Amino acid sequence: MSNTRRAKTVYFCTDCGHESPKWAGQCAGCGSWNTLVEESVVTKTKSSAATASARSMTKTQALGLASLESTEESRLQTGMEEFDRVLGGGAVVGSLVLVGGSPGIGKSTLLLQICGLFNKSLKSLYVSGEESARQIKMRAERLNITGDNVFILAETEISEVLAAAEELEPDVMIIDSIQTLYNPELSSSPGSVTQVKDCTMSLLRLSKDKGVTIFLVGHVNKEGAIAGPKVLEHMVDCVLYFEGERSMNFRILRAAKNRYGSTNEIGVFEMLDIGLTEVMNPSEMLLTGRPEDTPGTSVTCVIEGTRPLLAEIQALVTPSSANMPRRNANGVEYNRAMMLLAVLQQRGGLRISGCDAYLNVIGGLDIDDPGVDLAAILALASAYKDKAVRSDIAAFGEVGLTGELRQVSQINQRLSEVKRMGFRACILPQSAKGRIVAPSGLELIHAKNINEAIQLGIRN
């Protein structure tokens, strides 16, 4: 009787994976409401657990830190510079990478194209639980992917997937998607917390034991986070988010977690009829279609990882008769935008409290660089005054609560990008004066506070 098992029912939070013995309206782990779902789990008896623990202790030994070798990890170059940039220089051999994104955004297309690029030197296994092998073949033909080193498996049972990997011994595996895999030994349905955790753990052991680089596709929920338990993101080595509007051609790939590189890098792609293509000049893409001599628009330069990018900030300020005017911010953190509105009213003397205010970053870019503050102030002031910002001018700088301008990091790289994109002048904080050398042909306009910046940047 020592090896017998008994079944029990527990409740898991679909957001954070917190386990509770009984149902509750609010999760005690993350505070989310109505996220606890009932799952049947199998637990071992105490004697069985003790036996397993003793067996594992005899197999595993602790190693001294001094005896371990520290060698640089081996990376696989995917053939897409933008994708490799986000991963930190390529996919690490034996790593587990989770790629999340909205349905139809292009996750499957991106990973299938990577299989095609790996075709010449590496063996790839594409596992699909959502499409048949014929459907994947049709998409591969549209993407001009051919070769003998790309294998397709339409399967949802994790044991069959592991058996196929054992037989083929691939270098790279694509799992599309992790929510469709299931373990028949567990009574819960595919996509449940228990199934996702169990299947991910099996794939994690495969990647570490065999050195297989595995990419998992994960769907996102309505809040934009990857569906399933939050612990899933802790189990993998890298979490990538594929973002963009389905109505637009451009897509942005960013890292939310990366054990082998920076989480600040982004990759920019364009969706065409033949698949995703890299955008080697994102600044030009983000400024495409920018209106000139129009109130409410300004250009800034932000740093995404090691790359300077020019971005267009647009604002709309209209009188409101409501007791509480509307406020909306896209691409800029909401609380940051509200702070800038308060500073503009109190320190800049603009009566925005009685107006609806909207702030938007063109191209679907999410900016957390404080250097965007000055450009946002100029765009809001321009919209309020109904006077355009100079079309040949860019601006960057952090804004304080007293209205002062503070310098930001990597000013030389920002100025070089501004000059490269054809701008003739740039507004930046006075504190940076004397510490930088202006690129030839670029006029530097220094300002101490937002009032000086507004006077210098907005046409009279």
Side-chain angles (χ1 to χ4, degrees):
M1 299 293 294
S2 60
N3 292 327
T4 59
R5 299 183 179 184
R6 64 178 187 273
K8 72 172 185 176
T9 299
V10 296
Y11 294 86
F12 286 101
C13 174
T14 57
D15 284 353
C16 68
H18 177 75
E19 180 179 337
S20 175
K22 60 182 181 178
W23 186 87
Q26 185 180 29
C27 172
C30 64
S32 300
W33 288 90
N34 299 322
T35 57
L36 293 181
V37 294
E38 186 178 8
E39 297 284 351
S40 298
V41 297
V42 178
T43 58
K44 296 182 180 180
T45 61
K46 294 183 178 179
S47 58
S48 177
T51 302
S53 176
R55 188 184 302 115
S56 62
M57 291 178 61
T58 59
K59 291 183 179 181
T60 307
Q61 294 182 351
L63 300 176
L65 181 62
S67 64
L68 297 175
E69 297 182 0
S70 58
T71 57
E72 187 175 355
E73 61 273 1
S74 176
R75 293 182 181 268
L76 301 177
Q77 301 299 320
T78 63
M80 283 188 175
E81 294 184 13
E82 294 294 300
F83 194 84
D84 291 340
R85 176 195 294 271
V86 178
L87 290 174
V92 175
V93 175
S95 62
L96 190 63
V97 180
L98 178 62
V99 182
S102 304
I105 204 68
K107 304 182 299 295
S108 301
T109 299
L110 175 65
L111 295 177
L112 186 58
Q113 285 185 245
I114 290 176
C115 287
L117 295 173
F118 278 141
N119 174 59
K120 297 180 181 179
S121 57
L122 301 174
K123 185 184 296 184
S124 303
L125 174 61
Y126 190 102
V127 180
S128 177
E130 302 176 347
E131 298 177 288
S132 65
R134 177 178 174 81
Q135 289 176 304
I136 300 173
K137 172 64 175 178
M138 293 172 60
R139 189 184 331 134
E141 291 178 346
R142 178 172 59 85
L143 300 175
N144 296 322
I145 297 174
T146 58
D148 299 329
N149 281 340
V150 179
F151 295 86
I152 306 299
L153 176 65
E155 183 58 63
T156 57
E157 188 174 327
I158 185 63
S159 58
E160 297 294 333
V161 173
L162 297 177
E166 187 74 21
E167 180 182 355
L168 290 175
E169 298 183 352
D171 300 294
V172 178
M173 282 184 63
I174 309 295
I175 307 296
D176 187 9
S177 66
I178 185 61
Q179 281 90 357
T180 60
L181 292 185
Y182 75 98
N183 185 347
E185 296 182 1
L186 301 178
S187 59
S188 54
S189 60
S192 63
V193 175
T194 304
Q195 289 284 5
V196 170
K197 290 171 61 177
D198 182 82
C199 294
T200 303
M201 183 58 67
S202 298
L203 294 170
L204 178 62
R205 288 195 297 265
L206 173 65
S207 67
K208 303 305 178 185
D209 294 343
K210 302 296 184 180
V212 182
T213 303
I214 303 178
F215 294 90
L216 307 178
V217 174
H219 298 303
V220 299
N221 54 28
K222 61 182 179 180
E223 287 80 18
I226 294 178
K230 195 68 176 177
V231 70
L232 177 62
E233 299 186 19
H234 299 294
M235 296 169 64
V236 301
D237 298 309
C238 185
V239 179
L240 306 181
Y241 280 93
F242 205 38
E243 305 168 349
E245 298 292 336
R246 294 184 60 181
S247 58
M248 299 179 62
N249 291 336
F250 298 109
R251 305 286 188 267
I252 295 176
L253 181 70
R254 67 172 69 245
K257 170 188 175 182
N258 192 353
R259 289 175 178 165
Y260 307 108
S262 172
T263 57
N264 296 321
E265 299 286 357
I266 67 169
V268 183
F269 300 85
E270 183 178 7
M271 178 67 79
L272 302 176
D273 294 338
I274 58 173
L276 289 162
T277 60
E278 300 175 84
V279 177
M280 306 307 295
N281 189 357
S283 295
E284 182 179 2
M285 177 271 290
L286 293 171
L287 296 181
T288 300
R290 172 175 168 255
E292 296 185 359
D293 299 324
T294 303
T297 177
S298 64
V299 175
T300 187
C301 185
V302 297
I303 299 294
E304 292 285 349
T306 59
R307 164 189 285 177
L309 293 177
L310 295 191
E312 180 186 355
I313 313 297
Q314 288 191 350
L316 180 62
V317 178
T318 60
S320 174
S321 59
N323 293 330
M324 295 186 64
R326 291 180 58 86
R327 299 285 189 265
N328 195 359
N330 293 321
V332 179
E333 202 270 326
Y334 180 79
N335 291 330
R336 188 80 180 178
M338 297 306 100
M339 184 203 76
L340 295 177
L341 285 171
V343 171
L344 189 57
Q345 169 153 326
Q346 189 68 21
R347 307 301 180 189
L350 304 184
R351 304 291 96 183
I352 296 185
S353 59
C355 300
D356 294 335
Y358 305 88
L359 198 62
N360 183 45
V361 180
I362 298 300
L365 191 66
D366 289 322
I367 301 177
D368 56 6
D369 187 337
V372 74
D373 290 355
L374 180 53
I377 286 287
L378 290 176
L380 289 167
S382 170
Y384 179 85
K385 293 174 174 288
D386 200 26
K387 296 179 180 180
V389 178
R390 287 174 50 185
S391 60
D392 62 344
I393 200 171
F396 58 81
E398 183 178 1
V399 174
L401 291 179
T402 63
E404 84 281 7
L405 299 183
R406 296 176 177 269
Q407 70 177 34
V408 292
S409 62
Q410 304 184 46
I411 295 180
N412 290 322
Q413 290 91 325
R414 296 174 194 255
L415 292 176
S416 297
E417 184 70 6
V418 169
K419 169 62 178 174
R420 189 181 70 84
M421 293 304 300
F423 288 85
R424 298 180 180 178
C426 182
I427 302 178
L428 64 161
Q430 178 74 26
S431 57
K433 190 174 184 179
R435 302 184 182 183
I436 55 177
V437 179
S440 178
L442 181 66
E443 177 189 1
L444 298 186
I445 303 175
H446 296 277
K448 294 181 180 179
N449 51 54
I450 61 172
N451 291 314
E452 290 186 10
I454 292 173
Q455 292 176 2
L456 294 170
I458 297 179
R459 299 180 186 274
N460 296 322

